[in-house]
Amino acid sequence: LTGQVTAESLGTRQVAGIGGQFDFVLASSRSAGGASIIALPSTGGRDGGISRIVPRLATGAAVTTPRFLADWVVTEHGAAKLRGLGETARATALIAVAHPRFRSELERAVS
């Protein structure tokens, strides 16, 4: 809920390489008028049983994109503008684009 992104691990288990994600977000956020956009489905796992927007990354998870480089997060439920927001406002914006089934759980994690 702070905007950090992992695209390469599930906890301590490496599942992919970073590819070009870090290069993309760094270049887009630094270019004149640019913004980095992280687009993802709001759920994963079997039958969408896992929220991809989580209170915090799992212990040992690799941070592919640090929170200061995640300007926007987009899911099928909308777009969350994160640039310039503090932690509580970032969490609120991310909860709004999480799958509705997981929103109350995420809200409890912020309290």
Side-chain angles (χ1 to χ4, degrees):
L1 291 177
T2 64
Q4 289 180 319
V5 178
T6 182
E8 57 194 284
S9 67
L10 295 171
T12 58
R13 192 173 121 225
Q14 186 84 24
V15 295
I18 62 169
Q21 182 178 347
F22 181 78
D23 295 331
F24 168 77
V25 297
L26 181 62
S28 61
S29 70
R30 300 284 165 85
S31 64
S36 66
I37 300 169
I38 303 296
L40 68 153
S42 65
T43 62
R46 201 173 283 238
D47 300 321
I50 299 169
S51 179
R52 292 235 172 128
I53 295 176
V54 296
R56 66 197 53 77
L57 296 181
T59 301
V63 176
T64 308
T65 300
R67 63 186 177 184
F68 72 91
L69 289 178
D71 296 327
W72 288 87
V73 173
V74 178
T75 73
E76 69 275 23
H77 300 288
K81 182 180 180 191
L82 303 181
R83 183 186 278 180
L85 299 180
E87 278 194 32
T88 302
R90 284 173 162 261
T92 300
L94 287 166
I95 291 167
V97 299
H99 192 284
R101 177 176 16 163
F102 298 104
R103 289 180 187 165
S104 61
E105 176 184 330
L106 293 169
E107 288 168 349
R108 283 191 301 275
V110 173
S111 303

